């Protein structure tokens, strides 16, 4: 196996044993990037010089006989909506095309404290709005398993980088599935932590009550290592939780005996592809064979999750994106007066999907419609949250498909936004309820496209998810 295809923990062992150097590893990955990037297009910016310099610093540390941290010297990608000081952060938008943040996101500061090697900033749907990375203002990203297919989105660049050997792990963000869905499409592990677990400070805001940063990795062990690095309270984010962060590697125990796993009947309905359903039911059988108890549960408000999400997320987005006015940040397109300048800036520099969300959001928030749409959505949000609270009285975890189908073809859904939105049916309820959820690979379709299943946990119970995911990985 090529070095660039190994996991972080395997590479850590090789670095510690001095069988490879961080510089060699980084050079290998950058070589892979040179070969693959034309086809895959995972990155918006490649931080080549910084990578080489940082790798050398790690090698110097090893040469001095110092111990290295688990992610030290490991090449990674960071989604381009996570602010990196001095490194362009565009959110895949023309409006931020030349934005160089004067500060780092907290999650990136925490990650950087582990001295991984940043290979570059990963492509995404503009402002994280989308599920295919086709909404990037700069270029599309292709699925490394099949270049005719999308990698998913919005963290499609992050997922494709990890699946394509262009980074060993990546950070993404997940507002309605943007870590888990691309992870599923690309055959990697993608974890959305509990809302509040990872600081959102320096994550360019899309929908603030839903956004959460998390890891995309090659296996569950790496996922635990990255979670260890990025979780924790932050005074700069008032929604960040003060809850203690456990050592997530302690959860990597192959044992699900006695664990109660719920299968929600509302997730196995018309619209779910037969191959997806079979794969997820087989996962349930495997868990059962390992001593877990599989029980049917009901999440009765699931059918309202998409409509609820597509009111709340655009409403918050419309508010958050008000700041891109041609004055405070980013690009400006001149006009005769200030109104025309703002209009020109926003018309020219925002892409179609972003404009659509701003319009939906402002409509739902406008005086005449606030009660009928936004307020109603908030009420349904509570009902969806309660569904989970009730289900979790009976089970420890909930098992579902991550997506209704495997990766679709490029261009297949771009003309039909509603169809694209329906792709999020299995993932958005988790954000609406603020819960932790992961997507774990579970085989391939007959067309050799990766499949994934989702495990949803109780609030702040990432550990139980990791334990079950790790157990499954050991036997698959
Ligand atoms: N596909 C969803 C959307 O377009 C989710 C996006 C996300 O999680 N960032 O809103």
């Amino acid at each position: 196996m090529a070095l660039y295809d190994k996991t972080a923990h395997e590479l850590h062992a090789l670095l510690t044993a001095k069988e490879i150097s961080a510089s060699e590893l980084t050079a290998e990955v950058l070589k892979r990037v040179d070969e693959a990037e034309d086809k895959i297009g995972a990155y918006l910016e490649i931080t080549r010089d910084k990578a080489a310099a940082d790798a050398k610093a790690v090698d110097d540390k090893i040469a001095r006989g110092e111990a290295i941290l688990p992610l030290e010297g490991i090449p990674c990608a960071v989604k381009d909506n996570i602010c990196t000081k001095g490194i362009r952060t565009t959110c895949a938008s023309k409006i931020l095309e030349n934005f160089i943040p004067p500060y780092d996101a907290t999650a990136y500061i925490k990650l950087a404290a582990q001295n991984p090697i940043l290979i570059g900033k990963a492509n995404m749907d503009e402002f994280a709005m989308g599920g295919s990375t086709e909404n990037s203002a700069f270029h599309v990203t292709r699925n490394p398993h099949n270049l005719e297919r999308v990698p998913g989105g919005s963290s499609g660049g992050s997922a494709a980088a990890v699946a394509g050997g262009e980074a060993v792990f990546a950070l993404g963000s997940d507002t309605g599935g943007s870590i888990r869905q691309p992870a599923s499409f690309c055959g990697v592990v993608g974890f959305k932590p509990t809302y509040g677990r990872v600081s959102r400070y320096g994550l360019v805001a899309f929908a603030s009550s839903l956004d959460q940063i998390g890891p995309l990795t090659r296996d569950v062990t790496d996922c635990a290592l990255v979670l260890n690095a990025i979780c924790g309270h932050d005074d700069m984010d008032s929604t960040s939780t003060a809850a203690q962060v456990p050592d997530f590697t302690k959860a990597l125990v192959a044992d699900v005996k006695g664990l109660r796993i719920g299968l929600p009947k509302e997730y196995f309905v018309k619209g779910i592809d037969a191959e997806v359903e079979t794969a997820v039911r087989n996962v349930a059988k495997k868990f059962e064979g390992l001593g877990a108890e599989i029980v049917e549960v009901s999440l009765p408000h699931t059918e309202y999750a998409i409509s609820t999400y597509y009111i709340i997320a655009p409403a918050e987005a419309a508010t958050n994106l008000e700041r891109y006015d041609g004055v405070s940040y980013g690009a400006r397109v001149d006009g005769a007066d200030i109104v025309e300048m703002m209009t020109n800036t926003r018309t020219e520099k925002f892409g179609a999907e972003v404009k659509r969300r701003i319009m939906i959001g402002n409509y739902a928030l406008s005086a005449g419609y606030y009660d009928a749409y936004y307020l109603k959505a908030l009420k349904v949000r509570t009902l969806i949250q309660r569904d989970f609270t009730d289900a979790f009285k009976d089970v420890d975890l909930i098992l579902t498909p991550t997506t209704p189908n495997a990766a679709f073809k490029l261009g297949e859904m771009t003309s039909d936004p509603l169809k694209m939105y329906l792709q999020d049916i299995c993932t958005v309820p988790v954000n609406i309820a603020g819960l932790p959820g992961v997507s774990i690979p579970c085989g391939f379709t007959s067309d050799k496209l990766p499949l994934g299943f989702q495990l949803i946990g109780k609030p702040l119970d990432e550990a139980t998810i990791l334990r079950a995911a790790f157990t499954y990985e050991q036997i698959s």
Side-chain angles (χ1 to χ4, degrees):
M1 185 195 275
L3 274 187
Y4 59 71
D5 272 333
K6 291 188 185 295
T7 61
H9 57 95
E10 286 165 347
L11 292 165
H12 175 72
L14 293 175
L15 286 168
T16 308
K18 298 193 176 136
E19 283 177 38
I20 57 166
S21 70
S23 300
E24 271 172 76
L25 171 58
T26 301
E28 276 282 310
V29 172
L30 285 171
K31 194 167 143 236
R32 170 73 189 159
V33 168
D34 289 336
E35 291 161 4
E37 215 22 31
D38 268 357
K39 289 179 230 121
I40 298 175
Y43 287 105
L44 288 171
E45 178 103 14
I46 295 164
T47 48
R48 201 175 289 273
D49 295 345
K50 174 176 160 53
D54 289 352
K56 180 163 181 310
V58 174
D59 287 333
D60 290 347
K61 187 170 169 183
I62 295 172
R64 289 195 301 272
E66 290 175 40
I68 54 165
L69 300 162
L71 298 176
E72 196 148 11
I74 309 293
C76 69
V78 170
K79 188 175 179 179
D80 209 26
N81 58 351
I82 297 173
C83 283
T84 42
K85 187 174 173 177
I87 301 168
R88 217 151 60 100
T89 300
T90 68
C91 246
S93 180
K94 290 248 157 78
I95 212 154
L96 287 175
E97 189 165 6
N98 297 309
F99 176 56
I100 299 184
Y103 65 102
D104 281 320
T106 300
Y108 182 69
I109 294 178
K110 283 176 175 281
L111 181 67
Q114 304 288 312
N115 297 329
I117 309 298
L118 181 71
I119 297 295
K121 300 296 297 284
N123 197 16
M124 54 184 281
D125 287 298
E126 184 176 5
F127 282 100
M129 297 171 190
S132 67
T133 314
E134 291 164 298
N135 294 338
S136 168
F138 302 112
H139 58 79
V140 297
T141 298
R142 291 170 186 271
N143 191 317
H145 289 271
N146 179 334
L147 297 173
E148 302 300 304
R149 305 269 167 166
V150 301
S154 63
S155 311
S158 299
V162 175
E166 297 189 68
V168 177
F169 71 91
L171 292 188
S173 72
D174 191 313
T175 304
S178 279
I179 290 175
R180 290 159 289 155
Q181 184 252 27
S184 173
F185 281 10
C186 291
V188 300
V189 173
F191 204 115
K192 183 201 92 73
T194 308
Y195 184 76
R197 254 303 187 212
V198 180
S199 169
R200 290 181 298 106
Y201 180 72
L203 168 68
V204 180
F206 162 13
S208 310
S209 76
L210 303 160
D211 298 342
Q212 195 59 194
I213 295 173
L216 292 111
T217 58
R218 294 199 175 130
D219 72 357
V220 178
T221 302
D222 283 5
C223 179
L225 292 171
V226 181
L227 284 173
N228 273 357
I230 62 173
C231 290
H233 177 72
D234 179 17
D235 285 336
M236 301 297 278
D237 172 3
S238 61
T239 60
S240 127
T241 169
Q244 205 66 34
V245 182
D247 175 357
F248 291 113
T249 62
K250 296 244 161 61
L252 303 175
V253 182
D255 179 18
V256 289
K257 268 184 228 75
L259 215 60
R260 287 173 66 80
I261 302 178
L263 281 183
K265 57 172 189 251
E266 293 81 4
Y267 282 67
F268 296 89
V269 289
K270 214 176 99 242
I272 302 286
D273 184 86
E275 281 188 294
V276 172
E277 169 154 5
T278 308
V280 177
R281 291 206 184 273
N282 283 337
V283 171
K285 278 191 204 120
K286 283 198 176 148
F287 276 129
E288 201 162 30
L290 294 164
E293 216 178 309
I294 303 293
V295 277
E296 188 179 280
V297 292
S298 174
L299 299 165
H301 297 93
T302 302
E303 63 173 304
Y304 306 113
I306 290 281
S307 353
T308 305
Y309 173 85
Y310 278 99
I311 299 282
I312 293 175
E316 293 185 19
T319 311
N320 276 325
L321 271 57
E322 260 171 34
R323 72 192 69 172
Y324 306 102
D325 55 5
V327 179
S328 332
Y329 291 87
R332 167 185 296 187
V333 180
D334 284 327
D337 55 24
I338 185 164
V339 173
E340 204 183 289
M341 180 278 288
M342 285 185 185
T343 309
N344 291 349
T345 301
R346 292 167 70 85
T347 313
E348 262 183 53
K349 298 295 181 180
F350 281 139
E353 183 61 29
V354 174
K355 285 183 211 162
R356 185 177 297 125
R357 305 266 179 132
I358 292 173
M359 287 191 281
I360 296 173
N362 282 325
Y363 180 84
L365 289 173
S366 59
Y369 295 102
Y370 182 93
D371 288 353
Y373 291 102
Y374 184 66
L375 198 62
K376 187 64 144 280
L378 290 185
K379 289 178 181 168
V380 181
R381 180 176 197 168
T382 302
L383 296 175
I384 292 170
Q385 283 164 338
R386 275 190 208 149
D387 282 355
F388 281 104
T389 309
D390 289 343
F392 279 125
K393 285 182 187 145
D394 191 32
V395 296
D396 304 296
L397 289 172
I398 291 172
L399 168 65
T400 76
T402 307
T403 57
N405 42 257
F408 46 91
K409 293 203 175 83
L410 277 124
E412 192 178 326
M413 297 202 189
T414 35
S415 59
D416 190 348
L418 268 184
K419 206 166 155 198
M420 188 83 96
Y421 296 171
L422 289 171
Q423 286 283 310
D424 303 331
I425 179 61
C426 305
T427 48
V428 291
V430 180
N431 302 71
I432 289 174
L435 300 171
V438 75
S439 180
I440 301 291
C442 61
F444 294 85
T445 64
S446 48
D447 294 341
K448 299 195 177 62
L449 296 170
L451 289 169
F453 69 90
Q454 175 173 241
L455 285 173
I456 308 168
K458 296 177 185 173
L460 298 173
D461 193 15
E462 285 84 4
T464 304
I465 298 181
L466 289 169
R467 170 151 71 99
F470 181 77
T471 307
Y472 175 81
E473 194 179 68
Q474 298 307 301
I475 55 138
S476 62

